[in-house]
Structure formats: structure tokens, C-alpha cells
Amino acid sequence: MYDAFLLLSFGGPEHPDEVLPFLHNVTRGRGVPPERLAEVAEHYLRFGGVSPINEQCRELVAAIRADFAANAVDLPVYWGNRNWRPMLADTLAQMRDHGIGHAVALATSAYGSYSSCRQYLQDIASARAAVGPRAPVVDKLRHFHDHPGFVEPFADAVAAALSTLDVTQHATTRLVFTAHSIPVSMAESSGPTGGRYEAQLRETARLVAERGAPGLSWDLVWQSRSGAPHIPWLEPDVNDHLEALAKEGVTQVVVSPIGFVSDHLEVLWDLDEEAAATARRLGLGFARAGTPGADPRFVAMVRDLVLERMAPPGDRTRAALGRLGHWDVCASNCCPPPVRSNREGTR
């Protein structure tokens, strides 16, 4: 049925000269003011103008290839991005030239919302249209928020981060899960009946907390808000939440970015820089837990999802821990795009 595997990701610049062109790709058609782009560009330039996401995708691609070879999954592995090289249309053209006709794809987002799911389907459709009649057909794999290969690396990372904090202050330690904030309208319309994005994240948070820090109180908060001030986005922001926790008498926090597959720039800047600075100012002990990246369990999950999709429909079984997952990806009436202001910002 399938003759290739495709990794879909967001993309990121790898040289200072690429930062603004990349951000223009991200924000095209949104009327983002130049001062907002300049502000975000400074975050990238603080890291040499290089987003780590592309190198992390290369590591994941290499790990998937090795895992497929070791487990007799005979599919070549390709990689294409939404916003920067390798662009998805270029990858599909390469696949066409290699004789690929039907690929199965994993997007580097575990959850269901417009930007994390349906927009990838639109990216595929646009890239296929650009490539032309011989463009490969691409089927996107299901959400994987509750798969053990996603949950367990987070749980181990939470346990490791917690072990670096003062054990005598365990009673006043809080586990704080973060994910990318999105417009409230997008969150409310995610999934067939709405609310899928938050529901899946809360399920992931519960599963990770139970395994990584049993008995520790936890919260789900948001980071990386980028929209215009008058457009409601999911709240509270992680920095505001740290302020509130300090007032409640919390003395230490473990922050786990369960909304992200790898430690890309939004994790490094928004958490390791901004949230860590907020914690220092408040006198809070702070430990940031890692993300799956190319963890062997996450890589094995990719293979599991591919084999699951390749099996006859009657034989498909979900290797999931929870009950919120769905076989379908976003349908035509699912996860519609938000109504955008002409001043809405970049993610």
C-alpha cells in the first residue's frame, strides 16, 4: 500500500540571513507588523540565527531509518517542512522523481488543532498541487498524544528533572506542563466536537504525571503566545503561572513541555531563558524536563504507527494508553482555521 515514509515538520532557519525570510514564510498573509517580526528574529539571533529543529529532524530521520532497517520495514524515509528547507513541495518532487506513489507521513505534533493537524493536511494538498499530476499521495498518521512511546520519555524526563531539586521541599514542589498557546477560537473548534487540543494535552499530562511524578500536583499552562493582544489565546502563560505559584507558597517547579516533540527554539527561549529567569526572580527552584527527540521509544512508536496504518482496517489495534485518540485525522469540517486579525502575530 505504501512505498515511502515522510516526516513532516515546521522547519527553521540555519543561518542568520535565513531568519527573516523564514519568519516571512511563517507569517505570510497575516499582516504581522515588522516590529513583531524583529522581536522574534532577535530570539533566533540569540542562538546564532540557527533553530535547532532542523538538526533534530535530521537526527530523528536517521534514527527512523536505522529502526526501519533493523525491523524489516522496507520504506525509504523522506523529510519535508512547512516553512523552511527542505520545503515539502521540493521533497514531494524528489519523491516523485524516485518513483514514489503513496507515502505515509508523521507530523511532529501529537495533538489535534488547526495548526498542529489540519494545516499539515493543507500543506500536503498545496505541495501536491505544486508538484503536479504525478505527485505522491500522502496519508497523515493519527495523533499520538497517549502512545507509550511518546508518554514514557516525558515521564522519565520529569523524574530526572525532579531528582535535581531539593527532596526536602517535595511538598511544595509543583509539576507544570506547557504547550503552545493557540487562539481560543482554534482551541474550541479543534476536533469533531470541539476542545480536542486541550483534552488531549490534559490526558498526556495525566499520563506523564502518573508515571514520572506520582503524587505531585500538576497544572497545564501555555507558552509562546504570539497573537495580537485583543485576540483571546489560551491562558495562563507559564510566566504568569509561576508568579501565582510563588504567591501560593510553591518553592520549586518542574516544567515539562509536553506540547513539543523536541527541544526546538520555543522550548529553549520561552522556557530555558524566559521562564527560568522568572523563576530565579521569584526565588523558585526550577528544573526543565526534556522532550522525546530521537529517544528509541519514540522512534519505535513511529514504526508502530506506520505498521498500524499499513495493517488491514479490521486488524488495526491502537497501542495507546488512553481513550481520547481517534483513528481519523481532521476531516473537512474539523479544526477550521481561526478568524485572523490583520495584526495577528507569529507562533
Side-chain angles (χ1 to χ4, degrees):
M1 178 181 182
Y2 295 109
D3 50 8
F5 170 85
L6 173 64
L7 182 71
L8 297 170
S9 196
F10 192 79
E14 298 188 275
H15 188 275
D17 292 342
E18 298 176 355
V19 171
L20 280 175
F22 161 74
L23 292 176
H24 285 300
N25 281 350
V26 174
T27 60
R28 182 172 291 114
R30 299 186 188 182
V32 178
E35 59 270 21
R36 174 57 182 163
L37 289 185
E39 178 186 344
V40 177
E42 280 301 313
H43 299 171
Y44 285 89
L45 295 175
R46 283 278 296 271
F47 291 86
V50 179
S51 168
I53 192 171
N54 270 10
E55 186 57 34
Q56 290 162 1
C57 282
R58 291 188 187 97
E59 293 173 4
L60 182 57
V61 163
I64 291 169
R65 284 180 176 142
D67 181 86
F68 280 9
N71 291 278
V73 178
D74 188 18
L75 295 177
V77 178
Y78 295 85
W79 162 42
N81 289 327
R82 172 183 293 168
N83 294 300
W84 201 248
R85 295 185 289 267
M87 298 297 291
L88 179 55
D90 295 335
T91 299
L92 290 189
Q94 180 188 45
M95 294 167 68
R96 174 204 60 198
D97 295 344
H98 291 174
I100 302 301
H102 200 175
V104 61
L106 179 92
T108 55
S109 176
Y111 306 98
S113 75
Y114 172 74
S115 60
S116 62
C117 181
R118 186 177 173 191
Q119 192 173 3
Y120 279 110
L121 299 178
Q122 294 176 342
D123 293 338
I124 292 168
S126 297
R128 294 190 70 239
V131 171
R134 292 178 48 233
V137 174
V138 179
D139 294 337
K140 179 180 172 296
L141 289 168
R142 66 171 174 86
H143 307 150
F144 51 87
H145 70 287
D146 56 358
H147 193 287
F150 185 64
V151 170
E152 291 172 3
F154 275 120
D156 286 353
V158 163
L162 181 60
S163 72
T164 69
L165 297 178
D166 186 347
V167 68
T168 66
Q169 298 183 40
H170 188 87
T172 53
T173 300
R174 188 72 61 89
L175 175 55
V176 178
F177 293 107
T178 69
H180 204 298
S181 184
I182 61 175
V184 171
S185 61
M186 185 191 293
E188 291 176 345
S189 62
S190 62
T193 58
R196 176 182 281 182
Y197 183 65
E198 288 186 82
Q200 288 179 330
L201 279 159
R202 291 192 182 280
E203 179 72 351
T204 303
R206 180 185 66 80
L207 294 168
V208 171
E210 286 177 353
R211 288 155 180 77
L216 205 66
S217 297
W218 61 268
D219 307 299
L220 173 65
V221 301
W222 312 97
Q223 65 171 88
S224 311
R225 185 219 158 96
S226 58
H230 66 278
I231 297 176
W233 281 50
L234 293 176
E235 295 179 337
D237 176 79
V238 59
N239 294 284
D240 296 336
H241 190 63
L242 294 181
E243 297 265 7
L245 290 180
K247 292 177 182 177
E248 293 175 12
V250 169
T251 62
Q252 302 184 130
V253 292
V254 173
V255 177
S256 174
I258 57 169
F260 303 87
V261 165
S262 63
D263 286 9
H264 58 74
L265 192 115
E266 286 172 313
V267 174
L268 299 182
W269 177 261
D270 295 336
L271 299 183
D272 294 356
E273 294 287 331
E274 290 188 337
T278 298
R280 284 194 299 273
R281 176 173 57 80
L282 296 169
L284 291 173
F286 181 92
R288 202 267 291 171
T291 51
D295 185 288
R297 292 166 293 184
F298 184 72
V299 175
M301 180 206 76
V302 176
R303 167 171 38 91
D304 182 47
L305 295 181
V306 169
L307 295 176
E308 178 185 78
R309 187 60 177 260
M310 293 173 69
D315 296 336
R316 293 175 179 173
T317 58
R318 295 184 62 246
L321 298 176
R323 295 188 296 274
L324 291 177
H326 292 266
W327 260 103
D328 60 310
V329 293
C330 289
S332 60
N333 63 344
C334 179
C335 298
V339 176
R340 297 196 183 279
S341 160
N342 62 4
R343 289 184 60 83
E344 184 170 330
T346 175
R347 61 167 291 191

